[in-house]
Amino acid sequence: MAGAAVPGAGVRVHAAEVLDAVLHRGVSLKASLASTLPQLADARDRALLEAICFSALRGRARYDRALASWMPRPLGQRDASLRALLYAGFAQLDPLGLPAHAALSATVDAARGLGRSHQAGLVNALLRRAQRDGLPAATPEDVWPAWLLAELRTDWPDAVDAITLASERMAPQWLRVNGRRLTRAAFARRLADAGIEAASSASAPDGLCVPIPVPVDALPGFAEGDVSIQDGAAQLVADALAPPSGGRVLDACAAPGGKSAHLLERDPALRLVALEIAPARVARITETFARLGIGERASVRAVDALDLGRWWDGVPFDAVLVDAPCSATGIVRRQPDVLLHRRERDIDALVALQARLLDTLAGVVAPGGTLLYATCSILRRENSAQVADFLARHPEFALAPLDARFGRDTGTGHQRLPGDDAMDGFFYARLVRAA
Ligand SMILES: C[S@@+](CC[C@H](N)C(=O)[O-])C[C@H]1O[C@@H](n2cnc3c(N)ncnc32)[C@H](O)[C@@H]1O
């Protein structure tokens, strides 16, 4: 990062590097940020880096339009980091609305920090143009892959505009209050005392919605386990599963552990088994349980849930959660790179994996027990069609009703669409095994 001297230029260099990896090398935003954020000591710098990267990916199509009309020749492959820096620069002006002078000088200096001193003048000129003329609007066709937009139009003809709009907006921050430690009302008062605005959710009983996200270190009691960050739609999973008190529960796809943790906060007497195939992600579950002071009785295993012989002792579960790997099309507002990286063929593979998980884990549900299938997808193939096929293969299961808090009744499950009640898009199907 040679030569970055203007205050804030270093953050812009990091932003360009993160965006370059996401835009041009197929790295996920989560992974790219995870390796870069620890390099910034100041929490404000980390927050700024995240804000720039998220906004730049959301605004990508608009910025491409601007560059196409303002540049005589399109940027080439060798200008990948320049393109990333320009996105970071545009994002600071619109939508972030940072003071233009500081944003421009730090971004122009970052060009030097990226070894692109010869293009610093070009960066300056393009950002000044954006400041003067404004950045153009984009249509859903510019933003969404054609196959995905077509699928949404088929699946949700009456809601596709609302879905695309909500998915392209910044998400609020959702908090889940740990009812073992304090009430939601008591925590809301602590937030108010800290000057943090929050609204109690009518749908998610432990949830508070913070419209302007704050860094975790600014949340009172976070380190002590009073509160966690989890979208309201994900919090509803505990209500949909509703395991019996002290029951034997399986969370088959558990990392990073948010839903298991919520279940244990509600009932520390649960006998919970949490499985996760990715060993690196298992550590996230144990860290979460340790912070929240739960999980003494839980068994956390790094194992493939499909490999029953390796982990199941033959004792059936009262409640099984299959929070399945999915397209993440319901959480584009939190993972804007889904629109860059998801391919149509990925969906077929996911649908096949989800069906295998359901078929295998159906066998560990006790008679009269519950199997909850949940995804953060909004595609029917992964959701209501998946459940309809499962019910056809498994006459020993029947669909149990869920109330309107869980979203639209699709006939074979409930679908929340992104932005409904300020929550993520999410699907829930509660399946009960015949007694
Ligand atoms: C949607 S995430 C689960 C989120 C989690 N329930 C929570 O609330 O924090 C799906 C997880 O399933 C894991 N997974 C995928 N296939 C699996 C398998 N065959 N066995 C166990 N875990 C699996 C993935 O690595 C991923 O961590």
Side-chain angles (χ1 to χ4, degrees):
M1 201 205 296
V6 172
V11 177
R12 276 70 175 186
V13 170
H14 283 304
E17 288 169 347
V18 167
L19 290 168
D20 188 14
V22 174
L23 291 163
H24 306 120
R25 294 201 297 282
V27 182
S28 78
L29 177 59
K30 219 189 247 180
S32 192
L33 281 173
S35 60
T36 305
L37 284 170
Q39 297 174 42
L40 295 171
D42 190 321
R44 283 164 305 185
D45 286 345
R46 292 196 295 273
L48 178 60
L49 175 69
E50 287 193 291
I52 292 175
C53 293
F54 274 92
S55 303
L57 287 174
R58 287 198 191 99
R60 181 175 51 95
R62 302 174 55 215
Y63 309 155
D64 277 341
R65 278 202 164 194
L67 291 177
S69 65
W70 296 344
M71 295 195 71
R73 268 178 295 120
L75 289 171
Q77 276 184 351
R78 281 189 305 176
D79 289 320
S81 67
L82 175 69
R83 176 193 297 280
L85 181 67
L86 287 167
Y87 282 18
F90 291 150
Q92 291 166 67
L93 300 175
D94 178 3
L96 291 175
L98 301 189
H101 176 71
L104 257 70
S105 62
T107 308
V108 170
D109 200 45
R112 300 186 190 100
L114 287 165
R116 293 188 167 268
S117 301
H118 59 294
Q119 288 167 320
L122 175 65
V123 172
N124 187 42
L126 288 166
L127 294 185
R128 283 193 186 284
R129 175 105 190 236
Q131 192 190 357
R132 194 186 66 219
D133 297 354
L135 286 150
T139 63
E141 285 74 13
D142 298 325
V143 178
W144 293 70
W147 66 269
L148 183 51
L149 197 55
E151 196 155 332
L152 291 183
R153 288 203 166 111
T154 307
D155 285 357
W156 306 109
D158 65 326
V160 69
D161 291 343
I163 291 171
T164 55
L165 204 65
S167 300
E168 289 159 30
R169 288 216 176 113
M170 192 179 79
Q173 183 178 50
W174 275 88
L175 305 179
R176 185 188 80 232
V177 179
N178 182 352
R180 278 187 81 198
R181 292 180 59 94
L182 75 177
T183 64
R184 175 168 77 167
F187 190 77
R189 281 194 295 276
R190 280 172 68 186
L191 283 181
D193 291 345
I196 298 169
E197 185 195 333
S200 292
S201 167
S203 306
D206 303 315
L208 289 164
C209 184
V210 178
I212 301 164
V214 294
V216 281
D217 1 12
L219 289 171
F222 181 82
E224 293 74 35
D226 291 350
V227 69
S228 298
I229 294 180
Q230 185 181 45
D231 191 84
Q235 295 184 33
L236 286 175
V237 163
D239 290 337
L241 187 67
S245 168
R248 193 169 141 82
V249 175
L250 173 70
D251 181 353
C253 299
K259 299 182 188 78
S260 274
H262 192 195
L263 291 165
L264 288 167
E265 283 171 3
R266 287 200 170 170
D267 181 5
L270 285 183
R271 289 161 294 148
L272 184 121
V273 176
L275 310 180
E276 169 56 47
I277 197 168
R281 287 170 63 76
V282 172
R284 306 262 318 268
I285 307 177
T286 40
E287 277 162 25
T288 301
F289 285 5
R291 181 179 62 82
L292 295 169
I294 51 173
E296 306 82 23
R297 306 164 66 120
S299 159
V300 180
R301 305 272 309 268
V303 70
D304 181 348
L306 293 169
D307 193 353
L308 290 188
R310 275 197 60 208
W311 65 266
W312 192 39
D313 59 8
V315 181
F317 291 89
D318 303 307
V320 172
L321 169 60
V322 178
D323 185 21
C326 72
S327 61
T329 39
I331 56 168
V332 166
R333 61 187 197 153
R334 296 195 188 279
Q335 294 185 17
D337 51 327
V338 164
L339 299 185
L340 271 174
H341 297 151
R342 190 63 73 214
R343 300 279 174 266
E344 191 170 12
R345 61 177 178 275
D346 300 343
I347 310 299
D348 294 334
L350 285 164
V351 168
L353 173 60
Q354 292 153 359
R356 285 181 67 205
L357 283 164
L358 280 170
D359 285 345
T360 304
L361 296 163
V364 308
V365 180
T370 301
L371 172 62
L372 185 75
Y373 177 66
T375 73
C376 58
S377 165
I378 51 172
L379 302 182
R380 283 188 192 267
R381 284 199 269 170
E382 296 181 276
N383 295 341
S384 38
Q386 179 72 270
V387 171
D389 290 350
F390 173 83
L391 287 169
R393 293 192 301 273
H394 293 271
E396 74 277 22
F397 279 86
L399 195 67
L402 290 171
D403 62 51
R405 286 185 304 142
F406 296 90
R408 300 171 174 220
D409 187 347
T410 65
T412 45
H414 277 67
Q415 180 76 60
R416 278 193 158 276
L417 294 176
D420 288 355
D421 287 341
M423 294 182 187
D424 286 342
F426 223 89
F427 178 79
Y428 320 79
R430 186 169 208 261
L431 303 154
V432 175
R433 185 175 192 145

